[in-house]
Amino acid sequence: MLEKFYPDEYLDSAYDINYEEFYKKGYRGVIFDIDNTLVPHGAPADERAKDLFARLKAIGYSCCLLSNNQRPRVEMFNREIQVNFIENAHKPSRKNYRKAMELMKTREKNTLFVGDQLFTDVYGAKRTGIYSILVKPIHPKEEIQIVLKRYLERIVLHFYRKSHSKGK
């Protein structure tokens, strides 16, 4: 039952992903959550984020930011990045994951999703059929509704780790 929340991969950071290897495997689009995936909540794009998106564009990826935040927040982050974005995305609804793929001209099988939350980011990507990569939150300071979800995420991640350690 909990498997529907399991990511395809669980890594320390969006900055640790081997995007070149995924490109070799045929992936052409990357959808990102912003807050606590790429930068702390509410922060603008930092040098690390700017460098990542420059690298992704050089590799040949199309990118899209998919955020449940409002337009001013997403525009502020995207100012230095300049990729497609969808604000107020209502994740985990599939609708805007599909819209992101339309904007990037990709399909489920050649799109990656990178985010820090199981019940919105990963669950929405999995429901849509997109390869999902869960990353650890960048910063411990979070809004209260997210803090509450983190307690439930710990339970799911416990079983995720248990199921993945059996297979190794």
Side-chain angles (χ1 to χ4, degrees):
M1 182 180 106
L2 295 177
E3 292 83 6
K4 65 183 169 190
F5 299 109
Y6 290 178
D8 293 299
E9 288 189 43
Y10 183 30
L11 301 172
D12 286 338
S13 169
Y15 301 99
D16 293 342
I17 298 168
N18 187 339
Y19 295 100
E20 290 82 1
E21 193 60 37
F22 278 106
Y23 195 86
K24 286 179 193 169
K25 292 178 182 177
Y27 288 90
R28 295 299 181 261
V30 187
I31 303 171
F32 286 97
D33 175 55
I34 301 170
D35 285 329
N36 246 353
T37 296
L38 296 167
V39 293
H41 274 276
D46 57 15
E47 288 307 312
R48 191 164 69 151
K50 293 175 200 175
D51 290 347
L52 174 62
F53 282 92
R55 178 175 142 219
L56 292 170
K57 290 174 186 178
I59 294 168
Y61 280 108
S62 291
C63 298
C64 187
L65 305 172
L66 187 64
S67 177
N68 284 346
N69 276 301
Q70 299 304 308
R71 190 173 192 91
R73 163 65 184 128
V74 181
E75 283 180 333
M76 183 260 285
F77 179 84
N78 195 43
R79 204 167 287 135
E80 300 282 338
I81 303 297
Q82 294 300 303
V83 295
N84 294 304
F85 69 87
I86 299 168
E87 78 281 352
N88 198 20
H90 301 285
K91 293 179 286 182
S93 170
R94 293 182 288 235
K95 177 184 173 190
N96 285 312
Y97 288 84
R98 290 183 183 127
K99 184 176 175 187
M101 288 186 287
E102 277 179 41
L103 291 170
M104 296 186 303
K105 297 176 177 41
T106 60
R107 299 174 319 282
E108 290 85 350
K109 297 300 175 207
N110 67 350
T111 302
L112 300 171
F113 181 88
V114 181
D116 71 299
Q117 292 188 54
L118 283 177
F119 302 126
T120 52
D121 298 332
V122 169
Y123 183 51
K126 286 190 68 102
R127 291 178 67 219
T128 310
I130 299 170
Y131 192 90
S132 62
I133 301 173
L134 177 70
V135 296
K136 293 178 182 170
I138 287 178
H139 196 274
K141 185 176 183 289
E142 298 184 291
E143 297 169 357
I144 188 65
Q145 71 271 18
I146 296 171
V147 171
L148 297 173
K149 283 194 275 185
R150 294 287 185 206
Y151 288 109
L152 297 172
E153 284 185 355
R154 281 191 208 126
I155 295 166
V156 175
L157 287 172
H158 167 78
F159 289 104
Y160 168 81
R161 286 185 189 104
K162 235 174 128 167
S163 73
H164 281 70
S165 67
K166 288 177 187 174
K168 290 183 180 181

